CSV table of all heavy atoms in Angstrom, one decimal:
chain,number,residue,atom,x,y,z
A,1,MET,N,-19.4,-22.4,3.6
A,1,MET,CA,-20.6,-21.7,3.3
A,1,MET,C,-21.3,-21.2,4.6
A,1,MET,O,-21.5,-22.0,5.5
A,1,MET,CB,-21.5,-22.7,2.6
A,1,MET,CG,-22.9,-22.1,2.3
A,1,MET,SD,-23.9,-23.3,1.5
A,1,MET,CE,-25.4,-23.2,2.5
A,2,ALA,N,-21.4,-20.0,4.8
A,2,ALA,CA,-21.8,-19.3,6.0
A,2,ALA,C,-23.4,-19.1,5.9
A,2,ALA,O,-23.8,-18.6,4.8
A,2,ALA,CB,-21.1,-18.0,6.2
A,3,LEU,N,-24.1,-19.5,6.8
A,3,LEU,CA,-25.5,-19.3,6.8
A,3,LEU,C,-25.8,-18.0,7.4
A,3,LEU,O,-25.4,-17.7,8.6
A,3,LEU,CB,-26.2,-20.4,7.7
A,3,LEU,CG,-27.8,-20.4,7.8
A,3,LEU,CD1,-28.3,-20.4,6.5
A,3,LEU,CD2,-28.2,-21.4,8.7
A,4,THR,N,-26.4,-17.1,6.7
A,4,THR,CA,-26.8,-15.7,7.1
A,4,THR,C,-28.2,-15.7,7.7
A,4,THR,O,-29.1,-16.2,7.0
A,4,THR,CB,-26.6,-14.8,6.0
A,4,THR,OG1,-25.2,-14.9,5.5
A,4,THR,CG2,-26.8,-13.3,6.5
A,5,ILE,N,-28.3,-15.1,8.9
A,5,ILE,CA,-29.6,-15.0,9.4
A,5,ILE,C,-30.0,-13.5,9.8
A,5,ILE,O,-29.0,-12.8,9.8
A,5,ILE,CB,-29.9,-16.0,10.6
A,5,ILE,CG1,-28.8,-15.5,11.7
A,5,ILE,CG2,-29.9,-17.5,10.2
A,5,ILE,CD1,-29.0,-16.3,13.0
A,6,LYS,N,-31.2,-13.3,10.0
A,6,LYS,CA,-31.5,-11.9,10.4
A,6,LYS,C,-31.8,-11.9,11.9
A,6,LYS,O,-32.5,-12.6,12.4
A,6,LYS,CB,-32.9,-11.3,9.7
A,6,LYS,CG,-32.4,-10.4,8.6
A,6,LYS,CD,-33.8,-9.9,8.0
A,6,LYS,CE,-33.5,-9.1,6.8
A,6,LYS,NZ,-34.8,-8.5,6.2
A,7,CYS,N,-31.2,-11.0,12.7
A,7,CYS,CA,-31.5,-10.8,14.1
A,7,CYS,C,-32.8,-10.4,14.3
A,7,CYS,O,-33.3,-9.5,13.8
A,7,CYS,CB,-30.5,-9.8,14.6
A,7,CYS,SG,-30.7,-9.3,16.3
A,8,PRO,N,-33.5,-11.3,15.1
A,8,PRO,CA,-35.0,-11.0,15.3
A,8,PRO,C,-35.2,-9.6,16.1
A,8,PRO,O,-36.3,-9.0,16.0
A,8,PRO,CB,-35.4,-12.1,16.2
A,8,PRO,CG,-34.3,-13.1,16.1
A,8,PRO,CD,-33.1,-12.5,15.8
A,9,THR,N,-34.3,-9.1,16.7
A,9,THR,CA,-34.3,-7.9,17.5
A,9,THR,C,-34.0,-6.6,16.7
A,9,THR,O,-34.9,-5.8,16.5
A,9,THR,CB,-33.4,-7.9,18.8
A,9,THR,OG1,-33.7,-9.0,19.5
A,9,THR,CG2,-33.5,-6.6,19.5
A,10,CYS,N,-32.9,-6.5,16.0
A,10,CYS,CA,-32.5,-5.3,15.4
A,10,CYS,C,-32.6,-5.5,13.8
A,10,CYS,O,-32.4,-4.5,13.1
A,10,CYS,CB,-31.1,-4.8,15.7
A,10,CYS,SG,-29.7,-5.9,15.2
A,11,ARG,N,-32.8,-6.8,13.4
A,11,ARG,CA,-33.0,-7.1,11.9
A,11,ARG,C,-31.6,-6.9,11.2
A,11,ARG,O,-31.6,-6.7,10.0
A,11,ARG,CB,-34.1,-6.3,11.3
A,11,ARG,CG,-35.4,-6.6,12.0
A,11,ARG,CD,-36.6,-6.0,11.3
A,11,ARG,NE,-37.9,-6.3,12.0
A,11,ARG,CZ,-38.5,-7.5,12.0
A,11,ARG,NH1,-38.0,-8.5,11.1
A,11,ARG,NH2,-39.5,-7.6,12.7
A,12,ASP,N,-30.6,-6.8,11.9
A,12,ASP,CA,-29.2,-6.8,11.2
A,12,ASP,C,-28.9,-8.2,10.7
A,12,ASP,O,-29.4,-9.2,11.3
A,12,ASP,CB,-28.2,-6.5,12.2
A,12,ASP,CG,-27.8,-4.9,12.1
A,12,ASP,OD1,-28.4,-4.2,11.3
A,12,ASP,OD2,-26.8,-4.5,12.8
A,13,GLN,N,-28.1,-8.3,9.7
A,13,GLN,CA,-27.7,-9.6,9.2
A,13,GLN,C,-26.6,-10.2,10.2
A,13,GLN,O,-25.8,-9.3,10.5
A,13,GLN,CB,-27.2,-9.5,7.9
A,13,GLN,CG,-28.4,-9.4,6.8
A,13,GLN,CD,-28.0,-10.0,5.4
A,13,GLN,OE1,-26.9,-9.9,5.1
A,13,GLN,NE2,-29.0,-10.4,4.7
A,14,THR,N,-26.7,-11.4,10.6
A,14,THR,CA,-25.6,-12.0,11.3
A,14,THR,C,-25.5,-13.4,10.8
A,14,THR,O,-26.2,-13.9,10.0
A,14,THR,CB,-26.0,-11.9,12.7
A,14,THR,OG1,-25.0,-12.4,13.6
A,14,THR,CG2,-27.2,-12.7,13.1
A,15,THR,N,-24.5,-14.1,11.3
A,15,THR,CA,-24.2,-15.5,10.9
A,15,THR,C,-24.7,-16.5,12.0
A,15,THR,O,-24.6,-16.2,13.1
A,15,THR,CB,-22.8,-15.7,10.6
A,15,THR,OG1,-21.9,-15.3,11.7
A,15,THR,CG2,-22.3,-14.9,9.4
A,16,TRP,N,-25.0,-17.6,11.5
A,16,TRP,CA,-25.4,-18.7,12.4
A,16,TRP,C,-24.2,-19.3,13.0
A,16,TRP,O,-24.1,-19.6,14.2
A,16,TRP,CB,-26.3,-19.7,11.7
A,16,TRP,CG,-26.8,-20.7,12.5
A,16,TRP,CD1,-26.3,-22.0,12.7
A,16,TRP,CD2,-28.0,-20.7,13.4
A,16,TRP,NE1,-27.1,-22.8,13.7
A,16,TRP,CE2,-28.1,-22.0,14.1
A,16,TRP,CE3,-28.9,-19.6,13.8
A,16,TRP,CZ2,-29.1,-22.2,15.0
A,16,TRP,CZ3,-29.9,-19.9,14.6
A,16,TRP,CH2,-30.1,-21.2,15.2
A,17,GLU,N,-23.1,-19.5,12.2
A,17,GLU,CA,-21.9,-20.2,12.7
A,17,GLU,C,-21.1,-19.3,13.5
A,17,GLU,O,-21.1,-18.1,13.2
A,17,GLU,CB,-21.1,-20.6,11.5
A,17,GLU,CG,-21.6,-21.9,10.9
A,17,GLU,CD,-22.5,-21.6,9.6
A,17,GLU,OE1,-22.7,-20.4,9.4
A,17,GLU,OE2,-23.1,-22.5,9.1
A,18,ASN,N,-20.4,-19.8,14.5
A,18,ASN,CA,-19.6,-19.0,15.4
A,18,ASN,C,-20.3,-17.8,15.9
A,18,ASN,O,-19.7,-16.7,16.2
A,18,ASN,CB,-18.4,-18.5,14.6
A,18,ASN,CG,-17.5,-19.6,14.0
A,18,ASN,OD1,-17.4,-20.6,14.7
A,18,ASN,ND2,-17.1,-19.4,12.7
A,19,ASN,N,-21.5,-17.9,16.2
A,19,ASN,CA,-22.3,-17.0,17.0
A,19,ASN,C,-22.9,-17.4,18.2
A,19,ASN,O,-23.9,-18.2,18.2
A,19,ASN,CB,-23.5,-16.5,15.9
A,19,ASN,CG,-24.3,-15.4,16.5
A,19,ASN,OD1,-24.1,-14.9,17.5
A,19,ASN,ND2,-25.2,-15.0,15.7
A,20,PRO,N,-22.3,-17.0,19.2
A,20,PRO,CA,-22.9,-17.6,20.5
A,20,PRO,C,-24.2,-17.1,21.0
A,20,PRO,O,-24.8,-17.6,21.8
A,20,PRO,CB,-21.8,-17.1,21.5
A,20,PRO,CG,-21.1,-16.0,21.0
A,20,PRO,CD,-21.2,-16.2,19.5
A,21,HIS,N,-24.6,-16.0,20.4
A,21,HIS,CA,-25.9,-15.4,20.7
A,21,HIS,C,-26.9,-15.7,19.7
A,21,HIS,O,-28.1,-14.9,19.7
A,21,HIS,CB,-25.8,-13.8,20.8
A,21,HIS,CG,-24.5,-13.5,21.7
A,21,HIS,ND1,-24.5,-13.8,23.0
A,21,HIS,CD2,-23.4,-12.9,21.5
A,21,HIS,CE1,-23.4,-13.4,23.5
A,21,HIS,NE2,-22.6,-12.8,22.6
A,22,ARG,N,-26.7,-16.6,18.6
A,22,ARG,CA,-27.7,-16.9,17.7
A,22,ARG,C,-29.1,-17.2,18.4
A,22,ARG,O,-29.1,-17.9,19.5
A,22,ARG,CB,-27.2,-17.8,16.8
A,22,ARG,CG,-27.0,-19.2,17.5
A,22,ARG,CD,-26.2,-20.2,16.6
A,22,ARG,NE,-26.0,-21.4,17.2
A,22,ARG,CZ,-25.2,-22.4,16.8
A,22,ARG,NH1,-24.4,-22.1,15.8
A,22,ARG,NH2,-25.1,-23.6,17.4
A,23,PRO,N,-30.2,-16.9,17.8
A,23,PRO,CA,-30.3,-16.3,16.4
A,23,PRO,C,-30.1,-14.8,16.4
A,23,PRO,O,-30.4,-14.1,15.5
A,23,PRO,CB,-31.6,-16.7,16.0
A,23,PRO,CG,-32.5,-16.6,17.3
A,23,PRO,CD,-31.5,-17.2,18.3
A,24,PHE,N,-29.5,-14.3,17.5
A,24,PHE,CA,-29.4,-12.9,17.6
A,24,PHE,C,-28.0,-12.4,17.2
A,24,PHE,O,-27.1,-13.3,17.2
A,24,PHE,CB,-29.6,-12.4,19.0
A,24,PHE,CG,-31.0,-12.8,19.5
A,24,PHE,CD1,-31.0,-13.9,20.3
A,24,PHE,CD2,-32.1,-12.1,19.3
A,24,PHE,CE1,-32.3,-14.4,20.8
A,24,PHE,CE2,-33.4,-12.5,19.7
A,24,PHE,CZ,-33.5,-13.6,20.5
A,25,CYS,N,-27.8,-11.1,16.9
A,25,CYS,CA,-26.4,-10.7,16.4
A,25,CYS,C,-25.5,-10.5,17.5
A,25,CYS,O,-24.3,-10.4,17.4
A,25,CYS,CB,-26.6,-9.5,15.6
A,25,CYS,SG,-27.1,-8.0,16.4
A,26,SER,N,-26.0,-10.1,18.7
A,26,SER,CA,-25.2,-9.8,19.9
A,26,SER,C,-25.9,-10.1,21.2
A,26,SER,O,-27.1,-10.5,21.2
A,26,SER,CB,-24.9,-8.3,19.9
A,26,SER,OG,-26.1,-7.5,19.9
A,27,LYS,N,-25.1,-10.1,22.3
A,27,LYS,CA,-25.7,-10.3,23.5
A,27,LYS,C,-26.8,-9.3,23.8
A,27,LYS,O,-27.8,-9.6,24.5
A,27,LYS,CB,-24.6,-10.3,24.6
A,27,LYS,CG,-25.3,-10.7,25.9
A,27,LYS,CD,-24.1,-10.8,27.0
A,27,LYS,CE,-24.6,-11.4,28.3
A,27,LYS,NZ,-23.6,-11.4,29.4
A,28,ARG,N,-26.6,-8.0,23.5
A,28,ARG,CA,-27.5,-7.1,23.7
A,28,ARG,C,-28.9,-7.4,23.2
A,28,ARG,O,-29.9,-7.2,23.7
A,28,ARG,CB,-27.1,-5.7,23.2
A,28,ARG,CG,-27.8,-4.5,23.7
A,28,ARG,CD,-27.2,-3.2,23.0
A,28,ARG,NE,-27.7,-3.1,21.7
A,28,ARG,CZ,-28.8,-2.5,21.5
A,28,ARG,NH1,-29.6,-1.8,22.4
A,28,ARG,NH2,-29.4,-2.3,20.3
A,29,CYS,N,-28.9,-7.8,21.9
A,29,CYS,CA,-30.1,-8.1,21.2
A,29,CYS,C,-30.8,-9.4,21.9
A,29,CYS,O,-32.0,-9.5,22.0
A,29,CYS,CB,-29.9,-8.4,19.8
A,29,CYS,SG,-29.6,-6.9,18.8
A,30,GLN,N,-30.0,-10.2,22.3
A,30,GLN,CA,-30.5,-11.4,23.1
A,30,GLN,C,-31.2,-11.0,24.3
A,30,GLN,O,-32.3,-11.4,24.6
A,30,GLN,CB,-29.4,-12.3,23.3
A,30,GLN,CG,-29.8,-13.8,23.9
A,30,GLN,CD,-28.6,-14.6,24.0
A,30,GLN,OE1,-27.5,-14.2,24.4
A,30,GLN,NE2,-28.8,-15.9,23.9
A,31,MET,N,-30.5,-10.0,25.1
A,31,MET,CA,-31.2,-9.6,26.3
A,31,MET,C,-32.4,-8.8,26.0
A,31,MET,O,-33.4,-8.8,26.7
A,31,MET,CB,-30.2,-8.7,27.0
A,31,MET,CG,-28.9,-9.4,27.4
A,31,MET,SD,-29.2,-10.8,28.5
A,31,MET,CE,-29.4,-9.9,30.1
A,32,VAL,N,-32.4,-7.9,24.9
A,32,VAL,CA,-33.6,-7.3,24.6
A,32,VAL,C,-34.9,-8.2,24.4
A,32,VAL,O,-35.9,-8.0,24.9
A,32,VAL,CB,-33.3,-6.3,23.3
A,32,VAL,CG1,-34.7,-5.9,22.9
A,32,VAL,CG2,-32.4,-5.3,23.5
A,33,ASP,N,-34.5,-9.3,23.7
A,33,ASP,CA,-35.6,-10.2,23.3
A,33,ASP,C,-36.0,-10.8,24.7
A,33,ASP,O,-37.2,-11.1,25.0
A,33,ASP,CB,-35.1,-11.3,22.4
A,33,ASP,CG,-36.3,-12.1,22.0
A,33,ASP,OD1,-37.0,-11.6,21.1
A,33,ASP,OD2,-36.3,-13.3,22.4
A,34,LEU,N,-35.2,-11.1,25.5
A,34,LEU,CA,-35.6,-11.8,26.7
A,34,LEU,C,-36.2,-10.8,27.8
A,34,LEU,O,-36.9,-11.2,28.7
A,34,LEU,CB,-34.4,-12.4,27.5
A,34,LEU,CG,-33.7,-13.6,26.8
A,34,LEU,CD1,-32.4,-13.9,27.5
A,34,LEU,CD2,-34.7,-14.7,26.7
A,35,GLY,N,-36.1,-9.5,27.5
A,35,GLY,CA,-36.6,-8.4,28.4
A,35,GLY,C,-35.7,-8.3,29.6
A,35,GLY,O,-36.0,-7.4,30.3
A,36,GLY,N,-34.7,-8.9,29.7
A,36,GLY,CA,-33.8,-8.8,30.9
A,36,GLY,C,-32.9,-7.6,30.8
A,36,GLY,O,-32.5,-7.3,31.9
A,37,TRP,N,-32.8,-7.1,29.8
A,37,TRP,CA,-31.8,-6.1,29.6
A,37,TRP,C,-32.3,-4.7,30.3
A,37,TRP,O,-31.6,-4.0,30.8
A,37,TRP,CB,-31.5,-5.6,28.1
A,37,TRP,CG,-32.6,-5.0,27.4
A,37,TRP,CD1,-33.9,-5.7,27.0
A,37,TRP,CD2,-32.8,-3.5,27.1
A,37,TRP,NE1,-34.6,-4.6,26.5
A,37,TRP,CE2,-34.0,-3.4,26.5
A,37,TRP,CE3,-31.9,-2.5,27.3
A,37,TRP,CZ2,-34.4,-2.1,26.1
A,37,TRP,CZ3,-32.2,-1.3,26.9
A,37,TRP,CH2,-33.5,-1.1,26.3
A,38,ILE,N,-33.6,-4.6,30.4
A,38,ILE,CA,-34.1,-3.4,31.1
A,38,ILE,C,-33.8,-3.4,32.6
A,38,ILE,O,-33.2,-2.5,33.1
A,38,ILE,CB,-35.6,-3.4,31.0
A,38,ILE,CG1,-36.0,-3.3,29.5
A,38,ILE,CG2,-36.3,-2.3,31.8
A,38,ILE,CD1,-37.5,-3.5,29.2
A,39,GLU,N,-33.8,-4.6,33.2
A,39,GLU,CA,-33.4,-4.7,34.6
A,39,GLU,C,-31.9,-4.5,34.7
A,39,GLU,O,-31.4,-3.8,35.6
A,39,GLU,CB,-33.7,-6.1,35.0
A,39,GLU,CG,-35.0,-6.3,35.9
A,39,GLU,CD,-35.1,-7.7,36.4
A,39,GLU,OE1,-34.5,-8.0,37.4
A,39,GLU,OE2,-35.9,-8.4,35.8
A,40,GLU,N,-31.1,-5.1,33.8
A,40,GLU,CA,-29.7,-5.0,33.8
A,40,GLU,C,-29.3,-3.6,33.7
A,40,GLU,O,-28.5,-3.2,34.4
A,40,GLU,CB,-29.1,-5.8,32.6
A,40,GLU,CG,-29.2,-7.3,32.7
A,40,GLU,CD,-28.1,-7.8,33.5
A,40,GLU,OE1,-27.0,-7.3,33.5
A,40,GLU,OE2,-28.4,-8.9,34.1
A,41,ARG,N,-30.0,-2.8,32.8
A,41,ARG,CA,-29.6,-1.5,32.6
A,41,ARG,C,-29.9,-0.6,33.8
A,41,ARG,O,-29.0,0.3,34.0
A,41,ARG,CB,-30.5,-1.0,31.4
A,41,ARG,CG,-29.8,0.3,30.7
A,41,ARG,CD,-30.7,0.8,29.5
A,41,ARG,NE,-30.2,1.9,29.0
A,41,ARG,CZ,-30.9,2.6,28.2
A,41,ARG,NH1,-32.0,2.3,27.7
A,41,ARG,NH2,-30.4,3.8,27.5
A,42,TYR,N,-30.9,-0.9,34.5
A,42,TYR,CA,-31.0,-0.1,35.7
A,42,TYR,C,-30.1,-0.5,36.8
A,42,TYR,O,-29.8,0.3,37.7
A,42,TYR,CB,-32.6,-0.2,36.1
A,42,TYR,CG,-33.5,0.7,35.4
A,42,TYR,CD1,-34.4,0.1,34.4
A,42,TYR,CD2,-33.4,2.1,35.5
A,42,TYR,CE1,-35.2,0.9,33.7
A,42,TYR,CE2,-34.2,2.8,34.7
A,42,TYR,CZ,-35.2,2.3,33.8
A,42,TYR,OH,-36.0,3.1,33.0
A,43,LYS,N,-29.7,-1.7,36.9
A,43,LYS,CA,-28.8,-2.2,37.9
A,43,LYS,C,-27.4,-1.8,37.6
A,43,LYS,O,-26.6,-1.4,38.6
A,43,LYS,CB,-28.9,-3.7,37.9
A,43,LYS,CG,-29.8,-4.3,38.9
A,43,LYS,CD,-29.6,-5.7,39.2
A,43,LYS,CE,-30.7,-6.6,38.4
A,43,LYS,NZ,-30.4,-7.9,38.4
A,44,ILE,N,-27.0,-1.8,36.4
A,44,ILE,CA,-25.6,-1.7,36.1
A,44,ILE,C,-24.9,-0.3,36.4
A,44,ILE,O,-23.8,-0.3,37.1
A,44,ILE,CB,-25.3,-2.0,34.6
A,44,ILE,CG1,-25.3,-3.5,34.4
A,44,ILE,CG2,-24.0,-1.3,34.1
A,44,ILE,CD1,-25.2,-3.9,32.9
A,45,PRO,N,-25.6,0.9,36.2
A,45,PRO,CA,-24.8,2.2,36.5
A,45,PRO,C,-24.2,2.2,37.8
A,45,PRO,O,-22.9,2.5,37.9
A,45,PRO,CB,-25.9,3.2,36.3
A,45,PRO,CG,-26.8,2.6,35.4
A,45,PRO,CD,-26.8,1.1,35.7
A,46,GLY,N,-24.8,2.0,39.0
A,46,GLY,CA,-24.3,2.1,40.2
A,46,GLY,C,-23.2,1.1,40.5
A,46,GLY,O,-22.1,1.4,40.9
A,47,ASP,N,-23.5,-0.2,40.2
A,47,ASP,CA,-22.5,-1.3,40.4
A,47,ASP,C,-21.3,-1.1,39.5
A,47,ASP,O,-20.2,-1.3,40.0
A,47,ASP,CB,-23.2,-2.6,40.0
A,47,ASP,CG,-24.3,-3.0,40.8
A,47,ASP,OD1,-24.3,-2.4,42.0
A,47,ASP,OD2,-25.0,-4.0,40.5
A,48,ASP,N,-21.5,-0.6,38.3
A,48,ASP,CA,-20.3,-0.4,37.4
A,48,ASP,C,-19.4,0.6,38.0
A,48,ASP,O,-18.2,0.5,38.1
A,48,ASP,CB,-20.8,0.1,36.0
A,48,ASP,CG,-20.6,-1.0,35.0
A,48,ASP,OD1,-20.3,-2.2,35.4
A,48,ASP,OD2,-20.7,-0.8,33.8
A,49,LEU,N,-19.9,1.7,38.5
A,49,LEU,CA,-19.1,2.8,38.9
A,49,LEU,C,-18.4,2.3,40.1
A,49,LEU,O,-17.2,2.6,40.3
A,49,LEU,CB,-20.0,4.1,39.4
A,49,LEU,CG,-20.5,4.8,38.2
A,49,LEU,CD1,-21.6,5.8,38.7
A,49,LEU,CD2,-19.3,5.4,37.4
A,50,GLU,N,-19.0,1.6,41.0
A,50,GLU,CA,-18.2,1.2,42.2
A,50,GLU,C,-17.1,0.2,41.8
A,50,GLU,O,-16.0,0.3,42.3
A,50,GLU,CB,-19.2,0.3,43.1
A,50,GLU,CG,-20.0,1.3,44.0
A,50,GLU,CD,-20.9,0.5,44.9
A,50,GLU,OE1,-20.3,-0.4,45.6
A,50,GLU,OE2,-22.1,0.8,45.0
A,51,LEU,N,-17.4,-0.7,40.9
A,51,LEU,CA,-16.4,-1.7,40.4
A,51,LEU,C,-15.2,-0.9,39.7
A,51,LEU,O,-14.1,-1.2,40.0
A,51,LEU,CB,-17.0,-2.6,39.3
A,51,LEU,CG,-17.9,-3.7,40.0
A,51,LEU,CD1,-18.5,-4.5,38.9
A,51,LEU,CD2,-17.0,-4.6,40.8
A,52,ILE,N,-15.5,0.1,38.9
A,52,ILE,CA,-14.4,0.9,38.3
A,52,ILE,C,-13.5,1.5,39.3
A,52,ILE,O,-12.3,1.4,39.3
A,52,ILE,CB,-15.0,1.9,37.3
A,52,ILE,CG1,-15.6,1.1,36.1
A,52,ILE,CG2,-13.9,2.8,36.9
A,52,ILE,CD1,-16.6,2.0,35.3
A,53,PHE,N,-14.1,2.1,40.3
A,53,PHE,CA,-13.3,2.9,41.2
A,53,PHE,C,-12.6,1.9,42.1
A,53,PHE,O,-11.3,2.1,42.4
A,53,PHE,CB,-14.3,3.6,42.2
A,53,PHE,CG,-14.7,4.9,41.5
A,53,PHE,CD1,-16.1,5.1,41.5
A,53,PHE,CD2,-13.9,5.7,40.9
A,53,PHE,CE1,-16.6,6.4,41.0
A,53,PHE,CE2,-14.4,6.9,40.3
A,53,PHE,CZ,-15.7,7.2,40.3
A,54,ASP,N,-13.1,0.7,42.5
A,54,ASP,CA,-12.3,-0.3,43.2
A,54,ASP,C,-11.1,-0.8,42.4
A,54,ASP,O,-10.1,-0.9,42.9
A,54,ASP,CB,-13.2,-1.6,43.4
A,54,ASP,CG,-14.2,-1.3,44.6
A,54,ASP,OD1,-14.0,-0.2,45.2
A,54,ASP,OD2,-15.1,-2.1,44.9
A,55,ASP,N,-11.4,-1.0,41.2
A,55,ASP,CA,-10.3,-1.5,40.2
A,55,ASP,C,-9.1,-0.5,40.2
A,55,ASP,O,-8.0,-0.7,40.3
A,55,ASP,CB,-10.8,-1.8,38.8
A,55,ASP,CG,-11.5,-3.0,38.8
A,55,ASP,OD1,-11.5,-3.7,39.8
A,55,ASP,OD2,-12.1,-3.4,37.8
A,56,GLU,N,-9.5,0.8,40.0
A,56,GLU,CA,-8.5,1.9,39.9
A,56,GLU,C,-7.7,2.0,41.2
A,56,GLU,O,-6.4,2.1,41.2
A,56,GLU,CB,-9.1,3.2,39.6
A,56,GLU,CG,-9.5,3.3,38.2
A,56,GLU,CD,-10.2,4.5,37.8
A,56,GLU,OE1,-10.4,5.5,38.7
A,56,GLU,OE2,-10.6,4.7,36.6
A,57,ASP,N,-8.3,1.9,42.4
A,57,ASP,CA,-7.6,1.9,43.6
A,57,ASP,C,-6.7,0.7,43.8
A,57,ASP,O,-5.4,1.0,44.1
A,57,ASP,CB,-8.6,1.9,44.8
A,57,ASP,CG,-9.3,3.2,45.0
A,57,ASP,OD1,-8.9,4.2,44.3
A,57,ASP,OD2,-10.3,3.3,45.8
A,58,ASP,N,-7.1,-0.4,43.4
A,58,ASP,CA,-6.2,-1.6,43.4
A,58,ASP,C,-4.9,-1.4,42.6
A,58,ASP,O,-3.9,-1.7,42.9
A,58,ASP,CB,-6.9,-2.8,43.0
A,58,ASP,CG,-8.0,-3.2,44.1
A,58,ASP,OD1,-7.9,-2.7,45.2
A,58,ASP,OD2,-8.8,-4.0,43.9
A,59,ASP,N,-5.2,-0.9,41.4
A,59,ASP,CA,-4.1,-0.7,40.4
A,59,ASP,C,-3.1,0.2,41.0
A,59,ASP,O,-1.9,-0.1,40.9
A,59,ASP,CB,-4.6,-0.2,39.0
A,59,ASP,CG,-5.3,-1.2,38.3
A,59,ASP,OD1,-5.2,-2.4,38.6
A,59,ASP,OD2,-5.9,-0.9,37.2
A,60,LYS,N,-3.5,1.3,41.6
A,60,LYS,CA,-2.6,2.3,42.2
A,60,LYS,C,-1.8,1.7,43.3
A,60,LYS,O,-0.6,1.8,43.4
A,60,LYS,CB,-3.3,3.5,42.6
A,60,LYS,CG,-3.6,4.5,41.5
A,60,LYS,CD,-4.6,5.5,42.0
A,60,LYS,CE,-5.2,6.3,40.7
A,60,LYS,NZ,-6.2,7.1,41.2
A,61,LYS,N,-2.5,0.9,44.0
A,61,LYS,CA,-1.7,0.3,45.3
A,61,LYS,C,-0.6,-0.7,44.7
A,61,LYS,O,0.4,-0.8,45.2
A,61,LYS,CB,-2.7,-0.4,46.2
A,61,LYS,CG,-3.5,0.5,47.0
A,61,LYS,CD,-4.6,-0.2,47.8
A,61,LYS,CE,-5.5,0.7,48.4
A,61,LYS,NZ,-6.8,0.0,48.7
A,62,ILE,N,-1.0,-1.5,43.7
A,62,ILE,CA,-0.1,-2.5,43.1
A,62,ILE,C,1.2,-1.8,42.5
A,62,ILE,O,2.3,-2.2,42.7
A,62,ILE,CB,-0.8,-3.5,42.2
A,62,ILE,CG1,-1.8,-4.3,43.0
A,62,ILE,CG2,0.2,-4.3,41.5
A,62,ILE,CD1,-2.8,-5.0,42.0
A,63,GLN,N,0.8,-0.8,41.8
A,63,GLN,CA,2.0,0.0,41.2
A,63,GLN,C,2.9,0.7,42.2
A,63,GLN,O,3.9,1.0,42.1
A,63,GLN,CB,1.4,0.9,40.2
A,63,GLN,CG,1.0,0.1,38.9
A,63,GLN,CD,0.2,1.0,38.0
A,63,GLN,OE1,0.0,2.1,38.2
A,63,GLN,NE2,-0.4,0.5,36.9
B,101,ZN,ZN1,-29.3,-7.5,16.7
């Protein structure tokens, strides 16, 4: 029997069991509730691009 709950952030239905982000449906909703996602969102674009380029360079060298 699965316990169904409503995500407090987006109000989607989600489950309590096997849900690492409960009572939220996802990590995103968890971050929204904490307010931390705004900071993350502004930080990620630059960092992400650098990481992606670094990974691609490494892959090419290895191959
Ligand atoms: Zn949600």
Side-chain angles (χ1 to χ4, degrees):
M1 178 179 129
L3 179 61
T4 306
I5 55 172
K6 256 189 191 179
C7 171
T9 302
C10 69
R11 298 187 186 280
D12 262 5
Q13 285 203 334
T14 186
T15 53
W16 184 262
E17 285 92 2
N18 302 319
N19 179 2
H21 307 297
R22 65 196 185 192
F24 306 96
C25 67
S26 64
K27 186 175 184 181
R28 197 181 77 92
C29 285
Q30 192 177 34
M31 296 300 280
V32 168
D33 190 71
L34 294 173
W37 74 282
I38 296 169
E39 260 184 81
E40 292 276 327
R41 200 179 175 188
Y42 281 107
K43 263 191 261 171
I44 283 173
D47 290 349
D48 249 13
L49 285 174
E50 277 183 48
L51 283 173
I52 288 165
F53 286 130
D54 282 352
D55 285 349
E56 282 178 356
D57 282 351
D58 286 348
D59 284 348
K60 280 172 191 165
K61 279 172 197 163
I62 290 164
Q63 286 165 4

